[in-house]
């Protein structure tokens, strides 16, 4: 089929210039109604110039030459050609073509974004019927378009960009349209996930899915999804932020975000952001004790509690006495029942997160042994003594202790007091601290009668 390629370069230039205008590269715009490009003369086309400057100061150009100076801002086209307008403060607009060809392939006169529904229509002159219509992209025929004057691209994707034209029979003659360039712009050309690469366990995590809106179109509603290691952890939601109030080590991983149009036809993903959650090592380990003071009697109960000022992650507690390696118990509390005097010593709590260990200041626990049933036994065991006679008094006390083998075992020790004539009193402590010997002086002066030794002692 023969093709008319004389206008191909101009149509491409028109669409390129219009895209620049919509993107904001030029501030003066030339709007066309109906909004199709190229426009066709038989549609009664209206051109409107928008830009800075006072009304009535528009200069119009046709086919690249000055055509109407100080013309109106809007007018209805009566001749085919290429039109431009100029405003004093904003410059020259991109061109708009009005065609009068036998066959025209029209594209919507707007910027085309991913996800849009776009229809290309092949029209005959004065809307004459077109038969045996075929559509081509980059000179390759698109299958399935016979007997149809419209080609729908639903939804638009980046690979839909290219040069299109149509061919068909108009009034029994084979005609081909001039090619038009279809440029599909990314809905969100830049998508970046921002957040801290490292943070402490228990801290809040705030991730922001930032995107650069397309300047070709007002922002469209989007749905955001957030992923960690490929698993969905947030969304779909309208907010571009993911907030985790307090993170744990399990929140470490590679995060990414994704945006989709509400219809789900457009999907964009960010690059991955590695986030590492580090544990806070334990510190500030302290102990409390009941009863206060850590002084208890034999047989009583003692409770030690361990607390940590700082530290995250699974923490393990162990209790030690006297710096021994093997723990007495595990857990934040240590409860000891029926204490014996051999339970006295320094107790310490150790806290570990698996990598770090912190210890409390050692606490000294004292187990007190009570005494009972003190008795005094004289020697010799005479009931009467005379002045000057030597007397030995033996004092016995009962110490109640807890045996590790037999509960409630009773042990005995003695305190011995000796009274002898002419000897100064003294107290001697032997190896056993519960056994004491005291020597008392004899009585001097006038002779006294013998008396009851128990009465004299008491």
């Amino acid at each position: 089929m023969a093709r008319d390629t004389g206008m191909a370069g101009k149509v491409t230039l028109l669409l390129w210039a219009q895209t620049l205008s919509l993107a904001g590269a030029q501030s003066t715009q030339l709007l066309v109604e109906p909004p199709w490009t190229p426009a066709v003369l038989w549609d009664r086309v209206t051109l409107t110039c928008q830009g800075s400057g006072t009304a009535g100061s528009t200069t119009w150009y046709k086919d690249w030459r000055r055509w109407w100076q100080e013309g109106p801002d809007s007018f209805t086209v009566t001749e085919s050609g290429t039109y431009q307008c100029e405003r004093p403060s904003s410059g020259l607009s991109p061109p708009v073509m009005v065609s009068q060809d036998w066959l025209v392939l029209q594209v919507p006169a707007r910027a085309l974004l991913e996800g849009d529904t776009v229809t290309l229509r092949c029209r005959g002159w004065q809307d004459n019927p077109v038969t045996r219509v075929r559509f081509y992209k980059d000179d390759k025929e698109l299958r399935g378009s016979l007997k149809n004057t419209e080609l729908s691209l639903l939804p638009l994707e980046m690979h839909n960009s290219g040069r299109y034209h149509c061919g068909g029979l108009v009034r029994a003659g084979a005609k081909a349209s001039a090619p038009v360039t279809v440029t599909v712009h990314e809905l969100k050309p830049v998508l970046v996930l921002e957040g801290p690469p490292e943070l402490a366990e228990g801290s809040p995590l705030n991730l922001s899915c930032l995107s650069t809106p397309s300047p070709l179109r007002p922002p469209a509603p989007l749905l955001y999804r957030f992923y960690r290691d490929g698993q969905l952890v947030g969304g779909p939601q309208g907010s571009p932020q993911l907030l985790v109030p307090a993170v744990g080590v399990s929140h470490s991983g590679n995060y990414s975000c994704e945006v989709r149009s509400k219809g789900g036809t457009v999907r964009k993903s960010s690059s991955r952001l590695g986030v590492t959650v580090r544990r806070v090592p334990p510190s500030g380990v302290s102990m409390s004790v009941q009863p206060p003071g850590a002084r208890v009697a034999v047989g009583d109960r003692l409770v030690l509690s361990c607390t940590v000022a700082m530290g995250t992650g699974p923490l393990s507690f162990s209790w030690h006495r006297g710096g021994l390696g093997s723990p007495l118990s595990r857990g934040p509390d240590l409860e000891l029942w029926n204490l014996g005097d051999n339970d006295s010593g320094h107790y310490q709590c150790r806290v570990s997160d698996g990598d770090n260990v912190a210890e409390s200041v050692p606490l000294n626990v004292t187990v007190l042994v009570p005494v009972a049933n003190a008795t005094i036994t004289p020697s010799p065991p005479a009931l009467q003594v005379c002045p000057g006679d030597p007397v030995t008094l033996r004092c016995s006390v009962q110490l109640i202790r807890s045996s590790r083998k037999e509960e409630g075992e009773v042990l005995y020790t003695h305190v011995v007091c000796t009274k002898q004539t002419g000897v100064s009193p003294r107290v001697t402590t032997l190896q056993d601290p519960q056994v004491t010997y005291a020597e008392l002086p004899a009585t001097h002066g006038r002779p006294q009668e013998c008396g009851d030794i128990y009465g004299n002692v008491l």
Side-chain angles (χ1 to χ4, degrees):
M1 180 179 294
R3 288 182 48 198
D4 181 5
T5 59
M7 297 298 294
K10 289 186 177 181
V11 173
T12 302
L13 175 62
L14 294 179
L15 291 179
W16 176 79
Q18 186 182 29
T19 300
L20 289 179
S21 174
L22 292 175
Q26 300 184 36
S27 57
T28 301
Q29 295 186 22
L30 182 54
L31 306 183
V32 58
E33 183 64 35
W36 292 89
T37 184
V40 291
L41 189 61
W42 60 87
D43 273 346
R44 188 176 174 81
V45 177
T46 300
L47 299 180
T48 302
C49 190
Q50 290 186 344
S52 302
T54 59
S57 62
T58 302
T59 300
W60 290 92
Y61 296 83
K62 180 177 180 291
D63 296 331
W64 320 107
R65 295 181 180 181
R66 183 178 294 173
W67 176 64
W68 194 352
Q69 193 166 1
E70 295 183 358
D73 295 338
S74 179
F75 74 99
T76 300
V77 179
T78 59
E79 298 178 2
S80 61
T82 302
Y83 292 84
Q84 285 180 286
C85 69
E86 183 179 25
R87 299 299 294 270
S89 301
S90 52
L92 192 64
S93 75
V96 169
M97 180 182 174
V98 180
S99 177
Q100 184 74 332
D101 292 345
W102 277 101
L103 198 60
V104 177
L105 179 61
Q106 288 186 308
V107 181
R110 58 181 172 84
L112 306 180
L113 301 182
E114 287 181 290
D116 287 350
T117 300
V118 173
T119 299
L120 281 62
R121 59 187 188 179
C122 189
R123 299 178 65 186
W125 177 77
Q126 295 289 349
D127 286 333
N128 279 272
V130 183
T131 59
R132 298 185 62 84
V133 178
R134 288 179 172 83
F135 290 91
Y136 301 85
K137 176 179 181 288
D138 299 328
D139 295 328
K140 293 182 180 180
E141 183 178 353
L142 300 175
R143 297 296 180 181
S145 59
L146 294 176
K147 299 182 181 180
N148 192 349
T149 59
E150 293 184 346
L151 173 65
S152 294
L153 303 178
L154 174 67
L156 269 184
E157 299 179 11
M158 296 299 296
H159 66 80
N160 292 132
S161 296
R163 289 166 56 86
Y164 291 77
H165 75 274
C166 67
L169 297 179
V170 182
R171 288 190 173 183
K175 303 294 181 182
S177 72
V180 295
T181 299
V182 173
T183 302
V184 181
H185 300 273
E186 285 188 289
L187 181 66
K188 294 286 181 180
V190 179
L191 190 63
V192 177
L193 182 62
E194 288 191 352
E198 182 177 339
L199 68 165
E201 191 173 17
S203 302
L205 173 63
N206 192 354
L207 298 178
S208 298
C209 191
L210 303 179
S211 57
T212 303
S214 173
L216 308 176
R217 188 83 53 83
L222 295 173
L223 293 178
Y224 295 83
R225 288 174 169 83
F226 293 86
Y227 298 86
R228 181 180 68 242
D229 297 330
Q231 300 296 319
L232 182 67
V233 293
Q237 61 190 47
S239 171
Q241 290 187 323
L242 174 67
L243 177 62
V244 181
V247 296
V249 175
S250 61
H251 289 94
S252 298
N254 293 314
Y255 286 79
S256 63
C257 66
E258 179 187 80
V259 293
R260 298 185 187 183
S261 59
K262 283 206 168 179
T265 57
V266 180
R267 182 181 303 181
K268 290 292 180 181
S269 298
S270 71
S271 58
R272 293 183 177 183
L273 171 66
V275 176
T276 301
V277 180
R278 55 177 174 79
R279 289 178 175 173
V280 177
S283 63
V285 181
S286 61
M287 288 192 300
S288 60
V289 59
Q290 287 292 336
R295 295 172 66 85
V296 293
V298 168
D300 283 353
R301 169 175 169 266
L302 179 72
V303 177
L304 301 175
S305 298
C306 187
T307 58
V308 182
M310 295 183 64
T312 59
L315 300 178
S316 61
F317 296 78
S318 62
W319 292 91
H320 304 264
R321 185 180 67 195
L324 298 177
S326 58
L328 299 174
S329 178
R330 299 188 183 276
D333 298 315
L334 174 64
E335 190 171 3
L336 300 176
W337 293 82
N338 297 321
L339 289 169
D341 61 332
N342 55 352
D343 289 319
S344 296
H346 290 85
Y347 288 76
Q348 193 172 32
C349 172
R350 293 179 183 174
V351 181
S352 173
D353 62 1
D355 298 322
N356 306 279
V357 177
E359 298 179 344
S360 68
V361 176
L363 175 68
N364 186 32
V365 174
T366 302
V367 180
L368 304 175
V369 181
V371 298
N373 301 329
T375 59
I376 300 176
T377 304
S379 180
L383 297 180
Q384 296 285 331
V385 293
C386 297
D389 291 345
V391 175
T392 299
L393 301 179
R394 184 175 299 273
C395 181
S396 299
V397 295
Q398 181 180 349
L399 305 183
I400 303 177
R401 300 181 180 178
S402 291
S403 170
R404 292 189 177 272
K405 295 182 179 180
E406 298 182 13
E407 195 73 24
E409 178 183 358
V410 179
L411 304 178
Y412 292 93
T413 59
H414 299 84
V415 176
V416 180
C417 303
T418 303
K419 182 177 180 181
Q420 293 179 342
T421 304
V423 181
S424 300
R426 68 180 184 274
V427 177
T428 303
T429 302
L430 304 181
Q431 285 185 338
D432 187 342
Q434 284 80 33
V435 180
T436 304
Y437 295 91
E439 296 181 1
L440 304 179
T443 302
H444 297 282
R446 63 183 181 83
Q448 298 182 4
E449 296 181 356
C450 297
D452 189 343
I453 185 172
Y454 292 105
N456 292 335
V457 170
L458 297 177

